[in-house]
Amino acid sequence: MDTWLDSVRNLRNYCAHHSMVVGMTSSVVIPDNRDSADVLPDNTNLYSRLYALKKILPQKDADMLAEELEKLISKTKIDI
């Protein structure tokens, strides 16, 4: 849980200070033992921060986060 909170704090700081979150690397996120090993192949990238955020959010909020991320991705001019 400590690494999840640290990574979410780190992600928040990147966003709050208008830093680029794509390609970011920082502290390590330790995966949940109940998840398969391939769910978190890289434990220092943006995806690992989203993984940690989803782990600590209530399910309703995690679902809302997924919807909002899909909206943001669909609006971007970059082919993701």
Side-chain angles (χ1 to χ4, degrees), residues 43-62:
N43 58 5
T44 62
N45 62 9
L46 173 60
Y47 177 76
S48 67
R49 270 80 192 116
L50 296 175
Y51 167 87
L53 184 57
K54 186 174 184 314
K55 285 295 191 179
I56 62 176
L57 285 175
Q59 187 60 48
K60 179 182 171 188
D61 293 334

Side-chain angles (χ1 to χ4, degrees), residues 67-78 80:
E67 291 173 19
E68 293 299 320
L69 283 173
E70 285 178 19
K71 287 180 192 175
L72 280 172
I73 290 170
S74 68
K75 288 180 183 178
T76 187
K77 296 175 184 170
I78 300 169
I80 298 175

Side-chain angles (χ1 to χ4, degrees), residues 12-43:
R12 180 255 171 225
N13 288 342
Y14 267 77
C15 295
H17 298 286
H18 306 287
S19 298
M20 189 169 176
V21 294
V22 176
M24 68 182 275
T25 58
S26 58
S27 59
V28 172
V29 173
I30 298 175
D32 189 341
N33 290 336
R34 297 171 288 189
D35 292 334
S36 65
D38 62 343
V39 81
L40 193 60
D42 183 353
N43 58 5

